[in-house]
Structures are given as structure tokens and as C-alpha cells.
Amino acid sequence: MPLYAVIAQDQPNGVEHRMAVRPAHLDHLKTLGDKLVFAGPFLGDDEKPTGSLVVIEAASLADAQAMAAADPFVKEKVFASYEVKRWNWGINNPEKRGQ
């Protein structure tokens, strides 16, 4: 199944809001099950979150965009912006180790 990267930037000075919405965001990620490949925050010089990278499996770009739009970080406007792009795991892909 194709992979898609959700690349997001947080609202300026939004760490408190992010932390308030984070439990719902984590619950959402759990609902993705095996479709979630990996996820984590971008960090600023102060080690505080400034955005996120989420990689998901989806049948199409439209499906990946729908999964991203359902994320509480999107719904609650933690993200100032986000984009969903087709992504290829070319290097150190655990499914292709040794190839």
C-alpha cells in the first residue's frame, strides 16, 4: 500500500494548546492501527514541539488526506498548516533490509 507523509507546522506559541489536545491526537493515531507507520514532533532549538511528521499507509491521496483531516491536531487548529504528500521509504526501510 502506498505511503503518505503528513508534514505539519504548529501555530506560533502553541505548545500549551498542543499539549492540551495531545491525548485526543494520540487516541486518533491509535485508531489508525497498522496504517500508522511512524509519527513524531519536529523540535525547536528549545526542544519544544514545532510541528509533526506522520507517515501513514493509504489506498490513495484522498484517503490519506481524510485521515489527516480527522486528526484532532488539525480539527483543533494546533497546526497552522499541513500538507499530505506521497512518500517512498527508500533508505533503511525495515521491509527491505539487506536488499
Side-chain angles (χ1 to χ4, degrees):
M1 190 168 302
L3 296 176
Y4 295 87
V6 181
I7 305 160
Q9 297 299 315
D10 286 4
Q11 297 284 351
N13 303 310
V15 173
E16 286 184 29
H17 183 52
R18 171 187 263 268
M19 298 315 289
V21 178
R22 188 171 184 264
H25 165 72
L26 295 177
D27 286 345
H28 167 72
L29 293 180
K30 287 178 190 174
T31 69
L32 298 178
D34 289 343
K35 292 178 184 173
L36 176 64
V37 178
F38 62 80
F42 295 115
L43 301 176
D45 292 339
D46 59 1
E47 294 295 311
K48 293 182 180 174
T50 61
S52 293
L53 172 63
V54 179
V55 175
I56 53 178
E57 290 182 335
S60 67
L61 176 59
D63 288 345
Q65 289 169 327
M67 282 189 258
D71 189 322
F73 275 3
V74 171
K75 291 180 170 184
E76 298 295 326
K77 303 200 183 316
V78 169
F79 297 148
S81 65
Y82 73 96
E83 63 180 323
V84 180
K85 300 178 92 167
R86 179 80 167 83
W87 185 73
N88 180 49
W89 194 337
I91 307 299
N92 285 339
N93 181 330
E95 293 182 8
K96 297 179 181 178
R97 282 215 193 248
Q99 296 181 13

